[in-house]
Amino acid sequence: MGAGGALGPAPANAQTPCGGDFRAFLGGVAQEARASGRSQAAIDATLAGARIDRKVLSRDRAQGVFKQDFLTFSKRSVSGYRLKHGANNMRKYAKTFARAERDYGVPAPVITAFWGLETDYGAVQGDFNTVNALATLAHDCRRPQLFRPQLLAAIEMVEHGDLDPARTTGAWAGEIGQVQMLPEDIIRHGVDGDGDRHVDLKKSAPDTILTAASFIQSLGWRRGEPWLQEVKVPANLPWERSGLNFEMTAGAWANLGVRAREGGIAAPGLPAALLLPQGHKGPAFLAYPNFNVYLEWNQSFVYTTSAAYFATRLAGASRYDQGNPEPGLSDAQMKQLQQKLAARGHDVGKIDGILGAGTRAATRAAQMQLGLPADGWPTPALLSRL
């Protein structure tokens, strides 16, 4: 497709959702964009220079699997630098954060923690051309149902003047700006925070803060409620009740001897899950309904728990008591554990060495069968017993 040449009528096979000739594929996208009311000028500006980015495909095929444990990841990600700069930003943009909480119910520390984790407050936003990344992943047949709508949304952003096809860069998977959002989410939840009639998540902190607040609200945030609270647990707790799959009121946990590490239980009447990210001898938290929003943002248990903990620190909580957790498993040992659990009939999903929800649940079941504390934390002792 020549630079600046209009994308004309789509070939007969243009409705193919992915794969095939890239130019024919883009013709189909152009046809769909026209049908949804996008201007030919915006379509041409977005798609005329689009090309396959092999580095994007390489990243997509070899996504970094999340194998760090909670203590390792949280210590690295919730750094003194991020805490200091987060506090500075909450002061600097106090009026914008106040508006975010007033309009969307989302407190400043929650927004700031995502802002810090995603891009170090805008410092590291990614250098992949956004249109090329989205076109590449939409054309590729691994997840076209996710990325084709994002490419169409990018055309709409170009029409609004909120995306420059040649210069806008971001993450390899097409996320844009200081909190790394996809075009559809920016269109649905974008807020002009600085009054310039544009939503610029790359350069504008007010736009970033208010758009993030709108998006977090859309994920189910409950105004005025806590999200995570560090607790101390007694030695004789029924550990099989820990984990995200079991909830009871925070007051019921207190009746079992669970105590807030600082102050009192935040919301005794709310349902809460007891999180033991590194077993019953490590840090312990009560996760309230708002914790589910973190899981909507990112499905990694270690990331979400770290992000929620980061927000509590920005809100004034002390550093967690890391306790004295039992050693975990190496990558090879974790795969061996998954194989043994699968052989016993447990559904661990893929044998990948990742301690995901399935492996935690299977670990807990095996611990119960063996009479071990059923906290879902796999240890060498458990592995040797299987």
Side-chain angles (χ1 to χ4, degrees):
M1 192 172 304
L7 287 157
N13 66 348
Q15 296 309 311
T16 304
C18 65
D21 179 77
F22 185 60
R23 294 166 73 174
F25 163 78
L26 290 179
V29 172
Q31 185 181 65
E32 191 174 344
R34 276 192 295 274
S36 67
R38 302 281 72 80
S39 70
Q40 189 65 47
I43 293 168
D44 289 344
T46 308
L47 300 181
R51 60 177 180 79
I52 296 288
D53 187 336
R54 298 292 171 189
K55 289 184 179 179
V56 167
L57 291 174
S58 176
R59 284 289 194 95
D60 190 47
R61 297 296 185 268
Q63 288 190 45
V65 290
F66 213 100
K67 297 183 179 181
Q68 292 183 55
D69 62 37
F70 169 73
L71 287 177
T72 302
F73 181 76
S74 62
K75 286 176 183 176
R76 181 173 65 84
S77 59
V78 186
S79 62
Y81 168 89
R82 284 182 172 158
L83 288 166
K84 176 183 176 182
H85 285 268
N88 289 341
N89 278 319
M90 288 194 297
R91 285 191 295 270
K92 182 176 181 180
Y93 299 105
K95 289 184 179 179
T96 306
F97 279 116
R99 178 181 164 191
E101 186 156 15
R102 183 192 72 222
D103 292 353
Y104 305 103
V106 185
V110 173
I111 300 166
T112 304
F114 282 124
W115 191 11
L117 280 181
E118 292 292 339
T119 66
D120 268 337
Y121 311 110
V124 186
Q125 298 186 35
D127 57 4
F128 287 85
N129 178 277
T130 296
V131 168
N132 289 342
L134 292 172
T136 298
L137 292 167
H139 175 260
D140 184 50
C141 285
R142 206 164 84 85
R143 291 177 290 170
Q145 71 285 355
L146 170 60
F147 288 105
R148 187 183 179 103
Q150 301 300 339
L151 182 56
L152 289 161
I155 296 172
E156 185 173 347
M157 287 185 67
V158 170
E159 192 166 56
H160 294 165
D162 292 336
L163 189 154
D164 182 332
R167 294 182 178 85
T168 297
T169 57
W172 66 264
E175 298 97 341
I176 303 167
Q178 300 185 39
V179 285
Q180 300 284 274
M181 288 173 61
L182 286 165
E184 268 196 324
D185 293 323
I186 295 172
I187 288 170
R188 288 174 184 162
H189 305 291
V191 182
D192 172 16
D194 54 20
D196 68 354
R197 299 186 180 181
H198 291 281
V199 176
D200 183 354
L201 300 190
K202 288 188 68 66
K203 296 179 181 177
S204 171
D207 291 7
T208 294
I209 292 164
L210 292 171
T211 299
S214 175
F215 181 56
I216 291 167
Q217 181 196 51
S218 79
L219 298 179
W221 189 265
R222 293 162 52 150
R223 180 187 294 268
E225 293 187 6
W227 54 95
L228 191 76
Q229 182 177 25
E230 187 182 1
V231 293
K232 296 190 286 188
V233 293
N236 60 347
L237 206 65
W239 304 112
E240 66 276 5
R241 297 188 188 182
S242 65
L244 287 169
N245 293 329
F246 183 90
E247 286 185 338
M248 54 187 184
T249 66
W253 284 113
N255 290 339
L256 289 178
V258 174
R259 295 286 179 264
R261 184 166 170 237
E262 297 178 321
I265 294 294
L270 287 181
L274 179 65
L275 305 188
L276 304 171
Q278 293 199 219
H280 65 288
K281 295 182 180 180
F285 304 93
L286 285 182
Y288 295 97
N290 274 334
F291 184 79
N292 293 326
V293 169
Y294 289 86
L295 292 167
E296 291 289 333
W297 185 290
N298 187 307
Q299 294 181 352
S300 162
F301 175 75
V302 168
Y303 178 96
T304 54
T305 307
S306 298
Y309 161 68
F310 186 9
T312 67
R313 292 293 307 279
L314 289 166
S318 298
R319 182 179 178 181
Y320 54 57
D321 177 4
Q322 70 176 51
N324 188 27
E326 296 179 59
L329 302 179
S330 68
D331 182 44
Q333 287 175 319
M334 189 68 78
K335 290 176 180 174
Q336 187 182 4
L337 174 88
Q338 290 174 323
Q339 290 166 346
K340 288 190 173 187
L341 290 171
R344 283 175 166 246
H346 298 291
D347 181 12
V348 299
K350 187 178 177 182
I351 307 296
D352 55 9
I354 300 172
L355 182 56
T359 300
R360 281 187 185 271
T363 295
R364 189 172 282 109
Q367 288 168 328
M368 290 178 67
Q369 292 168 356
L370 295 169
L372 299 170
D375 58 12
W377 175 243
T379 63
L382 172 64
L383 182 60
S384 68
R385 293 278 297 274
L386 292 175

